[in-house]
């Protein structure tokens, strides 16, 4: 398969110092809101990279659920591969690719577990089938086949019929990413893309332009 001829030129927008927000969370929210309004499916999907004890990076998509004043929140199973890796090594990198606007946002930081009360509160707001799905899945553990998985799901549905309170699995919950850097990439023509990186330095955010 030869993909050498797949090429795009980027002309959607620019990212200039004069228009930057001082705080990268504001810059992020501004870009995210404009992307969200396009109505793209899974606009809040981000790829997160983790590295556990084996030193091998692993990537997967999760959904960003909240942007706080000092962090970004996603939910998962703490006992999953990513959960275990993050407990061993809290360093994380998150990546958003907003193709329609020719933008990429790259974040590095560390994670902390959300409070259990916050996990409980959010779990209660999830749709019934998502609650059952979370309860029935030992995320990242092998299972014999699809039938066995569906049987587990149905057993939980019988035990907790719709309308009853589905208990949050012990190991289900959120991580907050506390960013150390945000890089905003805006595609430009002729590969002269704009790249601005914010890094946290002694309590303040410092910006630099990077070569594309
Ligand atoms: C669009 C999309 C959204 C997803 N959202 C989540 C999520 O919010 N939380 C989660 O744990 N997994 C989510 N997943 C599944 C993960 O990508 C991954 O398969 C799973 O978490 C197991 O990863 P792990 O074995 O590395 O822990 C999503 C996958 C896709 C494609």
């Amino acid at each position: 398969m030869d993909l050498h001829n797949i090429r795009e030129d980027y002309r959607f927008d620019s990212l200039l110092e004069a228009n930057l927000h001082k705080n990268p969370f504001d810059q992020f929210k501004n870009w995210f809101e404009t992307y969200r309004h396009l109505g793209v499916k899974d606009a809040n999907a981000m790829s997160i990279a983790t590295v556990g004890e084996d030193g091998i990076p692993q990537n997967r998509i999760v959904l960003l659920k909240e942007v706080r004043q000092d962090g970004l929140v996603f939910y998962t199973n703490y006992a999953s591969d990513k959960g275990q890796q993050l407990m061993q090594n809290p360093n994380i990198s998150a990546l958003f690719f907003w193709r329609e606007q020719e933008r990429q946002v790259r974040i590095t930081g560390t994670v902390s577990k959300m409070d259990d009360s916050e996990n409980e509160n959010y779990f209660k707001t999830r749709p019934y089938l998502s609650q059952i799905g979370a309860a029935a899945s030992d995320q990242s553990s092998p299972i014999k086949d699809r039938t066995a998985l569906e049987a587990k799901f149905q057993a939980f549905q019988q035990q907790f019929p719709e309308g009853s309170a589905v208990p949050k699995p012990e190991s289900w919950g959120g991580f907050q990413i506390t960013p150390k850097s945000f890089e905003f990439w805006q595609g430009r023509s002729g590969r002269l893309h704009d790249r601005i990186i914010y890094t946290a330095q002694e309590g303040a955010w410092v910006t630099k332009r990077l070569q594309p």
Side-chain angles (χ1 to χ4, degrees):
M1 189 164 50
D2 181 352
L3 308 175
H4 288 90
N5 287 328
I6 299 184
R7 276 198 193 90
E8 295 289 344
D9 197 37
Y10 303 114
R11 296 168 180 274
F12 176 78
D13 204 354
S14 59
L15 182 63
L16 302 177
E17 283 77 350
N19 306 325
L20 281 181
H21 284 273
K22 280 211 163 67
N23 185 308
F25 284 94
D26 293 331
Q27 185 67 37
F28 180 84
K29 284 190 267 187
N30 176 297
W31 272 21
F32 181 71
E33 286 299 339
T34 61
Y35 189 62
R36 182 156 74 144
H37 283 107
L38 295 182
V40 176
K41 194 173 175 185
D42 291 330
N44 57 336
M46 59 178 176
S47 174
I48 53 161
T50 55
V51 179
E53 270 170 351
D54 62 6
I56 300 172
Q58 294 257 19
N59 251 287
R60 81 290 281 158
I61 300 285
V62 294
L63 298 177
L64 175 67
K65 286 292 171 180
E66 197 184 338
V67 181
R68 300 187 158 190
Q69 212 182 342
D70 56 350
L72 308 171
V73 177
F74 66 93
Y75 287 85
T76 191
N77 190 314
Y78 295 133
S80 66
D81 283 353
K82 80 181 87 48
Q84 292 189 41
Q85 286 161 8
L86 287 168
M87 309 296 193
Q88 290 155 359
N89 175 355
N91 291 304
I92 191 164
S93 171
L95 184 87
F96 296 83
F97 174 40
W98 293 327
R99 176 190 297 111
E100 293 76 1
Q101 295 172 325
E102 302 164 356
R103 289 173 174 167
Q104 168 180 259
V105 181
R106 210 167 148 189
I107 295 168
T108 63
T110 52
V111 293
S112 48
K113 282 166 87 174
M114 302 278 285
D115 290 346
D116 224 32
S117 60
E118 290 180 287
N119 291 337
E120 289 284 352
N121 289 340
Y122 174 55
F123 189 78
K124 284 192 195 119
T125 69
R126 298 184 85 212
Y128 170 67
L129 289 180
S130 305
Q131 292 180 337
I132 292 288
S137 169
D138 296 311
Q139 193 177 52
S140 314
S141 295
I143 190 158
K144 187 167 156 271
D145 54 22
R146 174 92 203 170
T147 311
L149 183 63
E150 286 174 6
K152 257 177 108 183
F153 188 88
Q154 279 153 17
F156 272 96
Q157 270 187 307
Q158 269 164 18
Q159 197 179 349
F160 304 104
E162 190 148 14
S164 65
V166 181
K168 180 188 85 58
E170 183 89 5
S171 61
W172 187 93
F175 282 107
Q176 171 167 323
I177 304 174
T178 302
K180 289 185 172 150
S181 72
F182 285 76
E183 185 200 313
F184 293 86
W185 183 101
Q186 177 72 61
R188 299 291 304 269
S189 191
R191 299 291 181 264
L192 273 190
H193 313 303
D194 288 326
R195 294 178 65 193
I196 305 280
I197 186 164
Y198 293 73
T199 44
Q201 284 175 27
E202 289 157 20
W205 290 102
V206 177
T207 57
K208 282 197 185 103
R209 175 173 288 271
L210 302 176
Q211 298 179 51

